[in-house]
Amino acid sequence: MSKKRRGEPPEFRAGEWLKGDGPQNDIAICTRVRLARNLQGFRFSPRLEADEAKQLTEYVVQRLAAPGLPDELAVVDLPLLEEIERTVLVERHLISREQATSKKARSVAINAEESVALMVNEEDHLRLQVFQSGLSTEAAWKHAEQVDEALMQRLPLAYSEEFGFLTSCPTNTGTGMRLSVMLHLPGLVWAEEIEKATNTAQKIHLAVRGLYGEGSKALGDFYQVSNQVTLGRTEQQLQSDVQLAVSRVVQWEREVRDALLRGSARPRTLDRVHRALGTLERAQILSSEEALGCLSALRFGVHHGVVDGFDVAAINKALLLSQPAHLQRFTKERLEPEERDQRRAKLLREILGCEP
Amino acid sequence: MQICSSCQKNPSTIVLMDLDGGSVSSQQHLCSPCAEKLGVVQPKTPLKLSADLLEDLLGSVQQKASQKRREPGCPGCGMTTQQFKNTGRLGCPRCYESFRDDLVPLLQRVHESSQHRGRLPGQLQAAPPPMLRASAPMEELVTLRKQLDDAVRGERYEEAASLRDALRRAEQRDAGGDAGENS
Ligand SMILES: [Zn+2]
Ligand SMILES: [Zn+2]
């Protein structure tokens, strides 16, 4: 059975999330560096009055306009956006849920490639995010460092020799750096080893969280691994810690996948992938959760040659576009949950090219 | 029951009203510690006695750090130690100095370190750490001042008197040390 790819969905450039390239891209989807920075002379964001928040945001935006930034950033004034457009930015990982729902003046500055996003007036005055596809901690850090340098030249950042960059919450103090790698770990989940992997990571001060879904429940076998400590180590140390630890998780996932595709485990694994494909091809109503599970299995199947004719970039795109806000934006109307699940099923068939 | 609008914690015992043309234009509910801190009501301690004693006990100390010592909050944002302890969040960059004593053990617990080793804004990276030399005696002074303040507030005047003497000795030593090194 061979599938032909359909035309590209009509919107968005491919962000780093969607590319499906970069080192270890069968398992590592994307690497993200987040830097927390604050300005001298203002209280931290959660304690700013409405007019101070406005003043801060306007000041930062005006300073960003000075020439010489390593990336050209477009500023989005968040209060002016419709709620659904803000949620679209959350689903694209460009702003946080808190930033989307806050009532105060706030902005985000984004480059065209969506590899740089600078949140203004989030929990800290500035939250810089830099994305790089695959497991690329060094490249991501290098890029973040460049943008950070430019921020330092433009803005009076708050720091001390003793505590480094001063942040609203002391858990981010020092480097202010959170380095995360988004991983697709169906092998560890299916083989019921994910808890072991999570516990191991926690022992070496890494946090493991689900990428989709609220709280601890991970949907679709997608996880993010990040450093917890931000103080007392250099950025390079943190970067090599995360790189090393994530490489081990990737190695582990690979071994488990091999085992799942061998011997007596193989039929069950193939069954899983084909059932997922069957659902994606035929289901008329698909919840967000079920869609994530099926796309996860399909992604696994494609990488291991169980099914062919699908493009990993298209699957990544399907993962993104099947989320509620993207779905509604795509269909250009507000949808009730039941309608949403119907539209999702239809949209996924289109993106994956299974529409008869 | 209303909760204090300043600390968001204690039950309020005082209602503060703004009157505008005879009608109430706004009101604020405060607990008595917050009301004291904001200077709305006088402290409970016997007023005359403590004022006189403070004058005597704090004398020279006050010139150096009077604002900070009367209000144990952060001079940058007004956050109090209690607010910091309740929320675990800081109010402004200056809070890091204001709450340093509580912050260092917290950072140790979270990060197993309380000393930054990463990069800093470029041109300043090469500058020598200015506080390093003075830090040991400075800490002693800060501790003594705090103990003295506690003793006065707790009306333990004998203890306060001996702390005052210790503080004066420490201050003289500190001043002498600085002069010696500078010459
Ligand atoms: Zn209060
Ligand atoms: Zn403060």
Side-chain angles (χ1 to χ4, degrees):
Chain A
M1 168 183 50
S2 164
K3 299 282 165 202
K4 282 286 146 273
R5 286 171 212 155
R6 283 274 172 112
E8 296 285 300
E11 54 173 0
F12 295 125
R13 304 197 196 192
E16 295 292 316
W17 287 89
L18 304 178
K19 283 187 179 165
D21 57 11
Q24 321 270 18
N25 64 70
D26 53 334
I27 294 166
I29 299 169
C30 187
T31 302
R32 164 171 61 185
V33 176
R34 189 224 62 199
L35 298 178
R37 301 287 185 252
N38 287 279
L39 270 56
Q40 297 166 23
F42 287 89
R43 284 183 283 174
F44 290 137
S45 291
R47 288 172 64 89
L48 288 179
E49 301 293 341
D51 56 331
E52 294 169 320
K54 190 161 178 287
Q55 206 187 339
L56 170 85
T57 307
E58 282 170 3
Y59 173 62
V60 172
V61 166
Q62 175 234 319
R63 297 298 299 144
L64 286 179
L69 275 182
D71 297 272
E72 198 174 315
L73 303 179
V75 175
V76 180
D77 192 352
L78 291 169
L80 296 183
L81 287 194
E82 303 250 358
E83 192 194 337
I84 193 148
E85 293 296 329
R86 292 199 294 262
T87 312
V88 163
L89 294 176
V90 174
E91 291 175 357
R92 298 179 85 77
H93 307 279
L94 297 170
I95 65 173
S96 63
R97 213 161 273 285
E98 294 69 37
Q99 172 99 349
T101 54
S102 149
K103 297 275 171 279
K104 290 181 183 166
R106 62 213 188 277
S107 289
V108 62
I110 308 167
N111 68 346
E113 294 76 30
E114 293 184 34
S115 59
V116 176
L118 178 68
M119 289 186 268
V120 184
N121 197 23
E122 209 255 9
E123 182 186 296
D124 292 294
H125 296 153
L126 303 172
R127 284 270 175 110
L128 172 66
Q129 300 193 91
V130 168
F131 302 94
Q132 188 86 34
S133 63
L135 172 56
S136 319
T137 60
E138 193 176 354
W141 161 242
K142 284 260 150 61
H143 190 182
E145 193 177 27
Q146 275 178 11
V147 183
D148 191 35
E149 291 282 345
L151 294 177
M152 286 172 185
Q153 284 160 11
R154 279 167 179 70
L155 296 160
L157 299 185
Y159 70 94
S160 80
E161 298 279 343
E162 184 177 19
F163 300 126
F165 291 98
L166 306 177
T167 53
S168 168
C169 182
T171 53
N172 297 315
T173 300
T175 57
M177 177 164 95
R178 187 92 54 214
L179 182 54
S180 317
V181 185
M182 319 304 153
L183 298 171
H184 182 214
L185 303 173
L188 288 168
V189 176
W190 298 353
E192 290 170 1
E193 301 245 326
I194 189 70
E195 210 162 309
K196 234 194 284 172
T198 305
N199 291 338
T200 310
Q202 275 161 0
K203 273 189 207 118
I204 49 175
H205 298 289
L206 293 176
V208 182
R209 274 171 303 156
L211 185 53
Y212 299 102
E214 306 289 314
S216 57
K217 191 168 183 255
L219 299 180
D221 319 318
F222 296 94
Y223 290 83
Q224 54 180 328
V225 179
S226 46
N227 63 303
Q228 278 181 299
V229 165
T230 56
L231 181 68
R233 302 180 73 67
T234 65
E235 289 82 0
Q236 286 76 13
Q237 283 172 327
L238 291 171
Q239 178 241 311
S240 65
D241 287 354
V242 171
Q243 176 79 27
L244 188 68
V246 171
S247 302
R248 284 200 194 131
V249 174
V250 166
Q251 182 59 31
W252 191 351
E253 167 73 16
R254 202 154 272 149
E255 284 162 16
V256 173
R257 285 187 185 191
D258 282 348
L260 287 171
L261 289 163
R262 269 200 318 261
S264 60
R266 187 171 171 85
R268 184 169 290 278
T269 306
L270 298 195
D271 182 63
R272 213 164 178 150
V273 173
H274 284 292
R275 272 174 191 276
L277 180 55
T279 302
L280 289 168
E281 282 180 323
R282 298 288 173 188
Q284 298 298 305
I285 296 172
L286 263 182
S287 71
S288 184
E289 183 172 351
E290 190 176 11
L292 281 169
C294 291
L295 289 168
S296 166
L298 183 62
R299 198 176 187 279
F300 172 94
V302 169
H303 273 301
H304 296 281
V306 179
V307 289
D308 60 7
F310 292 95
D311 181 10
V312 176
I315 297 172
N316 289 351
K317 199 161 286 184
L319 281 165
L320 180 68
L321 296 185
S322 63
Q323 293 178 82
H326 274 83
L327 195 62
Q328 293 178 73
R329 182 189 209 236
F330 198 72
T331 56
K332 298 194 173 56
E333 56 188 313
R334 218 178 163 80
L335 302 170
E336 295 303 313
E338 174 88 358
E339 291 175 292
R340 218 184 278 172
D341 292 350
Q342 291 174 29
R343 299 303 283 263
R344 180 178 292 111
K346 187 167 184 301
L347 178 69
L348 290 181
R349 286 197 299 274
E350 283 167 17
I351 295 173
L352 298 172
C354 341
E355 192 75 318
Chain B
M1 185 175 47
Q2 284 272 7
I3 297 295
C4 167
S5 63
S6 175
C7 62
Q8 310 279 349
K9 193 178 169 244
N10 301 329
S12 72
T13 54
I14 293 157
V15 185
L16 194 64
M17 293 186 215
D18 283 340
L19 294 175
D20 196 11
S23 62
V24 180
S25 61
S26 74
Q27 50 177 311
Q28 209 184 349
H29 295 260
L30 297 172
C31 67
S32 28
C34 287
E36 270 178 38
K37 235 171 282 160
L38 295 167
V40 177
V41 296
Q42 297 295 345
K44 282 196 299 281
T45 43
L47 191 62
K48 198 162 183 308
L49 182 63
S50 79
D52 287 346
L53 262 154
L54 268 172
E55 191 72 33
D56 174 46
L57 285 167
L58 303 181
S60 63
V61 180
Q62 245 175 355
Q63 288 159 353
K64 287 195 173 175
S66 60
Q67 275 316 96
K68 222 172 183 172
R69 302 192 55 264
R70 279 190 190 239
E71 284 189 7
C74 169
C77 67
M79 184 179 251
T80 64
T81 312
Q82 201 53 49
Q83 281 176 309
F84 164 58
K85 285 184 173 168
N86 290 342
T87 61
R89 300 294 171 104
L90 297 148
C92 80
R94 293 179 69 185
C95 282
Y96 278 82
E97 271 313 308
S98 305
F99 306 124
R100 192 180 175 283
D101 292 353
D102 294 305
L103 196 58
V104 167
L106 175 72
L107 292 171
Q108 275 294 347
R109 226 173 35 242
V110 175
H111 301 282
E112 293 177 3
S113 169
S114 57
Q115 176 62 55
H116 178 58
R117 296 191 210 289
R119 63 208 278 273
L120 286 170
Q123 72 276 21
L124 296 137
Q125 208 158 14
M131 292 297 287
L132 221 54
R133 227 177 356 146
S135 78
M138 276 283 290
E139 261 168 46
E140 189 191 349
L141 288 182
V142 169
T143 309
L144 278 170
R145 279 178 195 139
K146 224 170 250 167
Q147 288 171 341
L148 173 56
D149 203 31
D150 284 349
V152 172
R153 277 168 200 274
E155 301 178 48
R156 301 187 303 275
Y157 299 119
E158 273 183 48
E159 188 188 334
S162 74
L163 281 166
R164 172 205 52 195
D165 294 340
L167 184 56
R168 284 197 181 142
R169 280 195 302 274
E171 281 180 328
Q172 273 155 17
R173 219 173 40 232
D174 194 31
D178 271 0
E181 261 175 271
N182 286 344
S183 62

